[in-house]
Amino acid sequence: MNMLISISQQVLETLEDEIADYESVTGRRPPAERYRQETFSGYTLAIVDAVTKLTRYLRECELQLRAEVIVREQLTQDVVQFRALVDALTSVRYIS
């Protein structure tokens, strides 16, 4: 049982380090550290919490990416319309 606790502790520490690095790079403020029981179930719960946090970050990134795709598509349509307008304006010949 002690070996399982040790492995769980190592997994949790690695996961928390990776999350902390991600939060640092993305400018997120990590939440206050929670109390965790030094038991197998305590580490399991902490690992589940960490994975839940990662899932939330992933969902936020996915939503942001979708929003950026929509903006990019709109900008592409705008460029096409502006190009057509410029082409129409530059092809007009003035009769004097």
Side-chain angles (χ1 to χ4, degrees), residues 21 37 40 45 47 65 72 84:
D21 287 346
Q37 294 179 1
F40 181 72
L45 180 60
I47 290 170
L65 180 61
R72 185 175 294 126

Side-chain angles (χ1 to χ4, degrees), residues 3 33 60 72 79 94-95:
M3 187 170 148
E33 196 166 313
E60 289 171 4
R72 185 175 294 126
V79 166
Y94 294 100
I95 302 175

